[in-house]
Amino acid sequence: LLTLARKTLEEYLSTGRYTEYVPISENLYKPYGAFVTLTTLDGKLRGCIGHIAADNPVFKVVQEMAVAAATQDPRFLPVNLDELKDIIIEISVLSPLTKISNISEIEIGKHGLLVKKGFASGLLLPQVAVEWSFDREEFVRQAIFKAGLDPTFMGDPDLEIYTFTAQVFSEKEL
């Protein structure tokens, strides 16, 4: 999947389109949600976009999210082909969501979070809590903040909290 993401980005940033991959492994046809995170060599975020629902084959999700992370993350200007050589790709393949009733069910380093209230939602991948040394409460507060909500909503009965796990792999590890 890492090779697929890189080749997709190289082709897309060169031509404005990419060839749909035809996997040889049946596992890549399985439906999973996934996030693609792009960072610079010095560890700065350069783009991160994902698809939560497990409604498409994982290879398609990775191709689409790689392009989206490079070109559609509203926090950054689009990645250009020249800078791609200095970007590290990380992929997080998501498990299904599990609704929880108490934040004590959250395991830092294992769970990612999705919080929802009305139309607002915020998602943080499992590695975020570890990278920022968040405890459970801070992890939930940050997800609420990312949803654009007031962090004091943590005890709100209308706030839904979901956990998920992720299989995370990066070009850093290669």
Side-chain angles (χ1 to χ4, degrees):
L1 288 175
L2 289 168
T3 301
L4 176 61
R6 177 145 310 265
K7 287 184 184 293
T8 298
L9 285 177
E10 288 169 352
E11 186 176 1
Y12 186 84
L13 296 175
S14 296
T15 67
R17 59 189 189 326
Y18 60 90
T19 307
E20 186 172 305
Y21 176 66
V22 179
I24 3 177
S25 170
E26 288 299 314
N27 289 332
L28 296 180
Y29 284 100
K30 292 180 180 176
Y32 287 100
F35 273 71
V36 174
T37 304
L38 308 176
T39 55
T40 59
L41 293 175
D42 60 355
K44 292 188 175 118
L45 182 64
R46 188 62 181 82
C48 181
I49 292 190
H51 183 76
I52 300 167
D55 56 1
N56 284 306
V58 68
F59 79 91
K60 285 186 179 186
V61 175
V62 166
Q63 282 192 290
E64 291 170 5
M65 295 307 104
V67 170
T71 63
Q72 297 171 21
D73 189 325
R75 299 170 290 183
F76 305 99
L77 292 172
V79 171
N80 64 56
L81 184 60
D82 290 339
E83 70 180 307
L84 187 58
K85 68 183 178 332
D86 297 324
I87 287 184
I88 297 167
I89 299 171
E90 178 181 89
I91 297 171
S92 301
V93 178
L94 309 184
S95 73
L97 299 172
T98 302
K99 188 173 183 179
I100 63 169
S101 56
N102 190 306
I103 69 167
S104 66
E105 298 174 60
I106 299 168
E107 292 182 49
I108 297 297
K110 177 180 178 182
H111 290 132
L113 295 181
L114 172 67
V115 298
K116 294 172 81 173
K117 180 176 175 168
F119 293 109
S121 67
L123 183 140
L124 293 174
L125 295 169
Q127 54 270 40
V128 171
V130 175
E131 290 167 5
W132 290 91
S133 301
F134 293 156
D135 61 17
R136 284 184 187 115
E137 287 191 11
E138 187 60 24
F139 196 26
V140 174
R141 269 195 293 276
Q142 291 297 323
I144 292 169
F145 179 74
K146 188 167 183 190
L149 300 170
D150 187 328
T152 61
F153 284 0
M154 187 162 2
D156 189 318
D158 294 330
L159 182 71
E160 298 175 33
I161 303 175
Y162 299 85
T163 60
F164 60 89
T165 59
Q167 184 178 358
V168 182
F169 38 96
S170 169
E171 291 177 323
K172 274 193 297 198
E173 300 156 1
L174 300 178

